[in-house]
Amino acid sequence: MSETVYANARLVLEEVVIEGHLVVRDGLIAEIGTGAAPRAALDMGGDYVLPGFVELHTDHVEGHLYPRPRVTWNAFAAVTAYDAQIAASGITTVFDSLRVWPDKRAVGMDGDAPLLAATVREAGAAGVLRAEHFVHLRCEVTADGVVEEAAALMESEGVRLISLMDHTPGQRQFMTEAQFRSYYKKKSGMSDADLDIIVADRQDAHARFARPNRARLVEMARGQGIVLASHDDATDEHVAEAIGDGVAIAEFPTTDGAADGSHKAGIRVLMGAPNIVRGGSHTGNVAAESLARRGVLDILSSDYVPGSLLLAAFDLPNRVPAITLPQAVAMVSANPAAAAGLTDRGRLAPGLRADFIRVSAAGAGPAARAVWRQGERIS
Ligand SMILES: [Fe+2]
């Protein structure tokens, strides 16, 4: 039996913050108490101790695999560097969000999902990963070959979460064609004539493939117990479709109505933590803070900046005083764990995994000083 006691900590529990100690035994939280530790202990210096974060939607690995346009880095090195940054950000469980978008017409949109999933698996088997990794397939339902590629990955890699994306210009994330054009013009520098062709192609692909592909992916996920997420829901019809499909998570709803409808139906609403930190959406859609104010925000995801979870957890109670620090922390730990069906983690509570973060709130903001997963120091 191995036991370590951590004392002099401000423990962020489910509903309150207490000053006390934490006992870890064999990788699990054994005891939590107020006041001085019962026996010899490591001093946490009065810092906060938070549950390890559970991240459901991050594409941050892509920045390590493609550090410059047209440069593909060594995949194993990219994955381990990404994992190190994830762990140092306080994330102890991460769903690597891999794009499945095999479509000749959407140049540059297909990620390297098979390569990345296999590399994460190999790195995990080699024992070099700090966080626990799961596969989240981001499936673009308008892409011709999406079902086949997703099915192959389900078979070879195991998949825990599937999101159903549709980035057709004129709906969801790009409610107007103009939004789509301005986003891609900035991103790719394409001419208006090139964009005309792409818009027409995408609309054609949507008409042909979106409905049947979505139906097949939903059926496959249900058959294998894979959690489903909807993506960029904008209208009442989108929400009704998500309810009918048994969706558990609404990722990045783009309107107040879609967020309210999803939350009311028991679908957990996920928004980007950068959206909280920056005070709005980078694509000009709904602000996560306004959802938090109305009590319909359930989960924050780091999206493209791993460190944004910690920043947002401390920032949100300042921006929305009705939300306490424990409630904000639950949005990056307990709530995503529950949405993904992970019942063994996400809170500081006896019997759960000893996944926790030591956070200093001194200086300009919160900083993760140390991180443990199943009782082992990983950062
Ligand atoms: Fe999107």
Side-chain angles (χ1 to χ4, degrees):
M1 183 189 82
S2 75
E3 179 183 283
T4 312
V5 184
Y6 301 87
N8 189 21
R10 293 160 85 183
L11 298 154
V12 180
L13 307 183
E14 253 187 293
E15 285 171 3
V16 288
V17 181
I18 64 165
E19 291 182 15
H21 59 271
L22 175 78
V23 180
V24 172
R25 208 173 287 144
D26 296 331
L28 299 177
I29 297 170
E31 298 165 37
I32 289 171
T34 51
R39 42 201 174 274
L42 290 170
D43 187 353
M44 301 295 255
D47 284 339
Y48 284 102
V49 170
L50 273 53
F53 299 154
V54 177
E55 169 56 60
L56 297 183
H57 180 116
T58 173
D59 58 18
H60 189 71
V61 69
E62 292 178 6
H64 288 272
L65 187 64
Y66 317 112
R68 285 285 185 273
R70 292 178 299 282
V71 172
T72 302
W73 198 242
N74 173 289
F76 196 85
V79 162
T80 52
Y82 155 69
D83 170 67
Q85 190 174 346
I86 286 291
S89 304
I91 298 165
T92 47
T93 302
V94 60
F95 285 71
D96 304 311
S97 309
L98 308 177
R99 259 182 304 161
V100 182
W101 195 328
D103 185 347
K104 286 187 288 297
R105 297 179 281 200
V107 178
M109 293 314 293
D110 196 12
D112 276 306
L115 170 68
L116 284 168
T119 307
V120 169
R121 174 171 42 76
E122 281 162 24
V128 299
L129 294 181
R130 297 158 194 260
E132 180 166 19
H133 291 249
F134 293 112
V135 177
H136 167 182
L137 293 185
R138 306 169 58 199
C139 297
E140 179 71 17
V141 298
T142 61
D144 191 6
V146 67
V147 174
E148 290 68 26
E149 187 173 329
L153 285 165
M154 286 180 199
E155 175 109 22
S156 63
E157 306 299 340
V159 171
R160 292 286 297 238
L161 175 61
I162 284 182
S163 48
L164 302 159
M165 309 195 298
D166 181 342
H167 288 95
T168 308
Q171 55 167 303
R172 295 181 185 259
Q173 182 167 354
F174 305 108
M175 295 260 276
T176 64
E177 230 183 85
Q179 265 177 309
F180 177 89
R181 285 173 179 275
S182 108
Y183 183 85
Y184 277 95
K185 224 171 175 169
K186 263 190 245 158
K187 199 174 161 174
S188 65
M190 278 183 229
S191 70
D192 284 325
D194 286 343
L195 279 167
D196 285 344
I197 297 170
I198 284 178
V199 167
D201 270 354
R202 294 277 183 92
Q203 285 169 344
D204 173 60
H206 171 85
R208 292 167 59 193
F209 303 120
R211 197 170 285 276
N213 281 350
R214 179 168 173 132
R216 286 179 66 196
L217 288 166
V218 167
E219 194 186 304
M220 282 157 53
R222 279 186 176 165
Q224 299 192 31
I226 295 170
V227 177
L228 277 171
S230 60
H231 184 88
D232 297 335
D233 283 349
T235 65
D236 291 347
E237 292 77 63
H238 293 154
V239 175
E241 192 182 24
I243 295 168
D245 288 343
V247 158
I249 301 160
E251 283 189 345
F252 314 111
T254 59
T255 62
D256 287 319
D260 294 353
S262 300
H263 180 84
K264 213 171 122 197
I267 296 176
R268 287 185 174 88
V269 173
L270 176 152
M271 295 293 283
N275 181 319
I276 293 288
V277 175
R278 298 176 71 251
S281 151
H282 72 111
T283 51
N285 286 317
V286 74
E289 187 181 323
S290 77
L291 304 188
R293 235 171 252 289
R294 290 206 312 285
V296 300
L297 175 63
D298 300 299
I299 296 171
L300 287 168
S301 154
S302 69
D303 203 2
Y304 53 92
V305 186
S308 62
L309 290 186
L310 180 59
L311 286 180
F314 278 77
D315 203 15
L316 191 54
N318 293 330
R319 289 176 175 271
V320 184
I323 293 181
T324 63
L325 180 63
Q327 286 170 337
V329 167
M331 292 181 191
V332 294
S333 52
N335 298 354
L342 298 169
T343 55
D344 59 351
R345 69 195 80 185
R347 291 172 289 128
L348 297 181
L352 296 193
R353 284 181 176 219
D355 295 351
F356 58 100
I357 318 165
R358 177 180 179 179
V359 174
S360 164
R369 295 181 69 171
V371 184
W372 291 259
R373 175 164 74 92
Q374 293 176 281
E376 264 191 54
R377 180 92 187 259
I378 58 165
S379 171

